[in-house]
Amino acid sequence: QQQVKQSPQSLIVQKGGISIINCAYENTAFDYFPWYQQFPGKGPALLIAIRPDVSEKKEGRFTISFNKSAKQFSLHIMDSQPGDSATYFCAARDFNKFYFGSGTKLNVKP
Amino acid sequence: GAGVSQSPSNKVTEKGKDVELRCDPISGHTALYWYRQRLGQGLEFLIYFQGNSAPDKSGLPSDRFSAERTGESVSTLTIQRTQQEDSAVYLCASSLQGARMNTEAFFGQGTRLTVV
């Protein structure tokens, strides 16, 4: 059973547009929700993270929105750029174990 | 080193051979994770170490897979009698201990294993 469900599987956005990736979970013990960005041939790298006592966190063009009651969180990429084209993974931590979503392949068209 | 180091970066092996994949975590990181990533797929959890003990081995797909860790240092993932279905990128990550810390998991570059 997948602990963190991520959608969509792939996403195409025009340059300058907004990219939105959604994740949902069931385990209320999760206490930390990071997003990772992965370029081809590289390991995932932390992009931005949020704790469940915060509803939104913004870092530059990247924003996490967190809805604790709905057990959902999402990544918004504003003013999407071709350099943002990568695979994005949401994750959730239960104590020291991280559970990852299945990934979203983002393609930003010039 | 500054980051998580994995070796080899690429490994091609014949079906039926054993392989060893190595991970050097960030110094001081007590938690270490192994994940498998098949082509175009997400991260599949394999095993988690806290220090040199493995409280969660639930992701190991079969008894051909095993892993060990020396203290809070190097970990080795061993795959015996490799099968073509084992072909994937094997990722290692490490993090600081602590449920109340904003401790991210830092990933290595991965080892791309190809079984022919």
Side-chain angles (χ1 to χ4, degrees), chain B residues 37-94:
Chain B
Q37 187 176 30
R38 291 198 166 104
L39 186 64
Q41 303 296 311
L43 280 70
E44 177 186 359
F45 170 79
L46 297 178
I47 188 169
Y48 153 61
F49 284 94
Q50 185 59 47
N52 63 359
S53 66
D56 192 340
K57 306 179 183 179
S58 62
L60 294 177
S62 75
D63 59 7
R64 296 187 296 104
F65 287 72
S66 63
E68 61 180 26
R69 188 179 183 194
T70 306
E72 295 182 353
S73 184
V74 173
S75 176
T76 304
L77 177 68
T78 301
I79 309 173
Q80 296 177 311
R81 305 181 302 281
T82 52
Q83 304 293 313
Q84 288 183 330
E85 69 209 39
D86 300 333
S87 296
V89 174
Y90 289 82
L91 289 161
C92 174
S94 70

Side-chain angles (χ1 to χ4, degrees), chain A residues 76-98:
Chain A
H76 292 64
I77 306 175
M78 312 300 287
D79 186 27
S80 298
Q81 299 296 311
D84 297 331
S85 297
T87 299
Y88 293 81
F89 294 95
C90 62
R93 186 186 69 188
D94 178 2
F95 193 63
N96 266 325
K97 185 174 177 181
F98 288 86

